[in-house]
Amino acid sequence: MFGAGGGTSSYQEVEETDLIVLWGSNARDTHPIYFHHVLKGIRNGASLYVIDPRRTSSAQWADRWLGLDVGTDIVLAHAVGREILAQGLENRHFIEHATSGLDAYREAVQHCTLDFAEKTTGVPREAIRELAHAYATAPTAQLCWTLGITEHHNAVDNVLALINLALLTGHVGRYGSGLCPLRGQNNVQGGGDMGALPDRLPGFQHVENSGLRAKFEAAWGCSVPPEKGWNLSEMLHAMDTGEPNTLYVLGENPIGSEPDSRSTMRRMKALEFLVVQDIVMTQTAEIADVVLPAQAGWAESEGTVTSSERRVQRVRRAVIPPGGARDDMRILFDLARRLGHDWGEPVAEEIWDELRGLSPMHAGMSYARLDRLGGIRWPCYDEMHPGELFLHGRLWADPMIGPRAPFSPVPHDPPVEQLDDEFPVRLTTGRRLDAFNTGVQSDSYSSPLRRRETLDISPEDGEAYGLEEFERVRVTSRRGSLVIPVRFDAGLRPGLAFMTPHSPDHADANVLTIDAIDPKSGTAEFKACAVRIDKMRAAPSGD
């Protein structure tokens, strides 16, 4: 954020802050290691506010749970901002010193009164007021979010609405106060850092900047396309017109992970050529023309991994890979050789040193320093630099260094699929502690926490539908339907249902989800679709 694609704070800071906000994040289940840091913060005296449509396991530790309606995050954030301004609780020094656009922001949030927000979000006005005052008056505060904010058709606007609150209160750019986007997958941060984005080269250097592009072209001895490429959602949509007609998938299972899975399957099967490189036989690999078995990056290969606090750490081979599995680097080097480009032998440290020579924010991270220091947070500009514990301290410098941080007056935009008489239930999706994403990495081993997939609904809805717990029902959206047992969850309010994507083989939640895409980020609206629940007819008894 503010031009850097990573969280502003270290894990250490959440242990020592005064207030923690988990917004759209059930970190207890989905980021359990990070949640240990949250618990340390609570034991050290921090208050915890959890904002989520479900009363999640994380909310058990909260001073206050704010159960908002799905897709109303911007209204809630604007109401918090308006209350801070109305009560004169904003950090006027920071705003005047380091930000721009306050007047436009003030106008944009003016209509979001506590009463309006209560009516729109379902959160009681007093709870909104309490959050606003607690966040504005806390000496330090960490505002954390994850997929509950970003898996919407207006994901970027949701994030900007939260950033506005940090700018309004000065909770950014100093120790203990920051913005923490918790990454949805292992090493997602590292993937983005390395340029696995359609518009960025390694180190978040924009591909459309000719000066930045030139140094990569000189190092690599080739031309780099000057226009940004497609994100995954754009690739899938382009397949409808036959472009692209070939796909190379590395460590991804789009048939299991993308919304409206039947459309994804149709698109993938229509490709002329599909290659999958993975450590397991995913649903996507099952329909591939070629499957390249890879080694597990966390135990069978050498390299680095980057966490949500921007810390780069070494990864070392711990076990011998199974026969036939090959290192990702060696597969790519051998493929390049067969295509006429001899890159030599793949050596992880040599590749990393090439990266350090091209990405200023990694320049000081030699393998020797990573080993000695147990990891380093970027940016780390030279081998004397310790790495940055937190980002954007420049905003507090006097005189300030660099551009001002702008407020972003974003509009409320409700979920694309509205509820109606035919589809009156809001389905949202998420994860559980014992499983990982589409299940291909976690279903192969047992867990005492593991259970078969269910459609979770409130006990009130169970009674209204005349259902017994674990009775099988048919759940239907405008894209498909499936038969699944229901489970009663007291953490759900009437009208809200929940599923995970962990079991696509017998209960594929993405048969139901909507392919509504945020045009700015390319993320899909996994968190909001409309469904109906039908009681299954009992089989006729014999005479």
Side-chain angles (χ1 to χ4, degrees):
M1 58 208 72
F2 309 110
T8 71
S9 300
S10 61
Y11 293 168
Q12 171 184 324
E13 290 170 77
V14 80
E15 299 177 10
E16 301 178 5
T17 193
D18 296 288
L19 183 140
I20 304 164
V21 180
L22 292 178
W23 198 313
S25 169
N26 182 18
R28 169 66 181 84
D29 279 10
T30 60
H31 295 87
I33 303 302
Y34 183 79
F35 198 71
H36 282 298
H37 297 284
V38 172
L39 290 177
K40 288 181 180 179
I42 293 171
R43 285 196 291 270
N44 288 332
S47 300
L48 174 64
Y49 285 76
V50 171
I51 302 165
D52 200 292
R54 301 185 297 136
R55 188 186 290 269
T56 62
S57 58
S58 301
Q60 296 175 21
W61 281 271
D63 294 85
R64 173 78 83 156
W65 167 62
L66 284 74
L68 78 171
D69 292 340
V70 174
T72 62
D73 302 273
I74 289 176
V75 172
L76 182 58
H78 281 2
V80 170
R82 185 189 187 280
E83 175 67 10
I84 290 170
L85 288 167
Q87 300 303 321
L89 300 175
E90 72 273 20
N91 189 318
R92 295 176 186 174
H93 166 74
F94 180 79
I95 292 170
E96 294 172 2
H97 177 74
T99 74
S100 63
L102 175 65
D103 290 342
Y105 172 73
R106 188 194 302 272
E107 182 177 353
V109 304
Q110 192 59 34
H111 70 288
C112 291
T113 63
L114 297 178
D115 289 336
F116 174 82
E118 178 176 348
K119 180 178 179 181
T120 305
T121 69
V123 178
R125 67 189 309 277
E126 283 308 311
I128 302 172
R129 182 181 184 278
E130 179 184 327
L131 172 63
H133 286 245
Y135 185 68
T137 60
T140 58
Q142 296 288 334
L143 177 50
C144 314
W145 68 88
T146 187
L147 303 181
I149 282 293
T150 56
E151 286 187 342
H152 289 274
H153 75 283
N154 56 344
V156 171
D157 286 355
N158 282 343
V159 172
L160 291 173
L162 301 189
I163 292 174
N164 287 336
L165 299 181
L167 296 180
L168 196 60
T169 55
H171 282 314
V172 67
R174 56 192 177 93
Y175 186 83
S177 281
L179 296 154
C180 304
L182 306 180
R183 297 311 193 182
Q185 307 284 347
N186 178 50
N187 206 29
V188 162
Q189 184 66 58
D193 295 353
M194 296 303 105
L197 297 167
D199 61 346
R200 303 287 163 159
L201 293 159
F204 297 106
Q205 298 172 88
H206 207 292
V207 73
E208 294 181 348
N209 183 308
S210 59
L212 295 175
R213 197 171 61 248
K215 71 175 179 179
F216 286 90
E217 292 175 333
W220 293 342
C222 66
S223 61
V224 176
E227 305 87 16
K228 75 173 189 175
W230 288 323
N231 58 46
L232 177 55
S233 298
E234 290 168 333
M235 289 182 203
L236 290 170
H237 289 176
M239 290 176 195
D240 289 335
T241 59
E243 185 185 8
N245 57 20
T246 299
L247 197 65
Y248 192 156
V249 180
L250 290 86
E252 187 83 8
N253 183 26
I255 287 177
S257 64
E258 294 308 297
D260 189 4
S261 56
R262 291 177 179 171
S263 292
T264 303
M265 176 67 83
R266 170 182 55 78
R267 290 162 172 161
M268 301 286 275
K269 283 186 171 180
L271 291 167
E272 293 180 15
F273 192 60
L274 173 62
V275 182
V276 171
Q277 182 173 321
D278 214 313
I279 64 173
V280 289
M281 195 67 173
T282 65
Q283 295 165 287
T284 307
E286 288 173 355
I287 68 165
D289 297 283
V290 174
V291 177
L292 302 171
Q295 296 174 5
W298 60 273
E300 298 169 356
S301 300
E302 297 286 328
T304 61
V305 65
T306 308
S307 71
S308 292
E309 65 166 350
R310 298 170 281 106
R311 181 191 292 270
V312 179
Q313 295 171 277
R314 286 273 285 111
V315 175
R316 298 167 184 82
R317 175 183 286 190
V319 296
I320 302 300
R326 307 176 72 227
D327 189 284
D328 285 307
M329 293 184 294
R330 184 163 294 280
I331 294 173
L332 295 173
F333 270 58
D334 285 353
L335 179 60
R337 187 175 293 112
R338 294 196 182 202
L339 293 172
H341 300 275
D342 189 350
W343 294 347
E345 283 296 303
V347 178
E349 186 172 6
E350 292 178 2
I351 295 171
W352 178 253
D353 284 341
E354 177 184 312
L355 176 277
R356 292 172 55 214
L358 293 167
S359 171
M361 71 186 205
H362 294 98
M365 297 184 184
S366 65
Y367 265 27
R369 293 193 77 212
L370 292 175
D371 287 339
R372 186 170 68 252
L373 299 176
I376 303 172
R377 300 176 191 87
W378 60 254
C380 176
Y381 299 112
D382 57 55
E383 295 209 26
M384 299 300 294
H385 195 286
E388 295 288 355
L389 195 62
F390 58 88
L391 299 182
H392 312 306
R394 67 174 186 83
L395 296 174
W396 293 90
D398 190 12
M400 193 189 72
I401 303 168
R404 290 174 172 266
F407 283 91
S408 301
V410 292
H412 167 54
D413 191 8
V416 169
E417 197 161 56
Q418 296 294 297
L419 304 182
D420 57 25
D421 291 341
E422 185 178 4
F423 298 99
V425 176
R426 176 66 71 202
L427 175 67
T428 193
T429 64
R431 302 179 191 169
R432 289 193 296 265
L433 176 62
D434 65 284
F436 190 80
N437 215 36
T438 63
V440 293
Q441 294 179 76
S442 49
D443 279 356
S444 60
Y445 61 86
S446 62
S447 165
L449 301 176
R450 186 76 41 81
R451 60 178 177 81
R452 289 184 66 82
E453 187 60 43
T454 57
L455 177 72
D456 293 357
I457 62 175
S458 70
E460 295 88 345
D461 279 344
E463 181 178 356
Y465 283 103
L467 299 172
E468 298 290 334
E469 191 166 30
F470 303 115
E471 180 178 343
R472 293 173 71 79
V473 300
R474 180 171 292 280
V475 55
T476 305
S477 75
R478 291 178 175 87
R479 289 151 296 284
S481 69
L482 53 87
V483 175
I484 186 172
V486 294
R487 174 179 171 271
F488 298 158
D489 182 353
L492 292 170
R493 293 169 296 152
L496 180 63
F498 175 80
M499 282 185 69
T500 80
H502 299 326
S503 305
D505 288 338
H506 75 270
D508 186 359
N510 284 324
V511 166
L512 306 170
T513 53
I514 183 172
D515 189 17
I517 307 300
D518 177 24
K520 298 176 183 176
S521 67
T523 56
E525 192 153 70
F526 291 100
K527 298 303 182 189
C529 72
V531 300
R532 70 168 179 269
I533 301 169
D534 294 314
K535 188 178 176 71
M536 301 289 286
R537 294 182 180 179
S541 59
D543 293 334

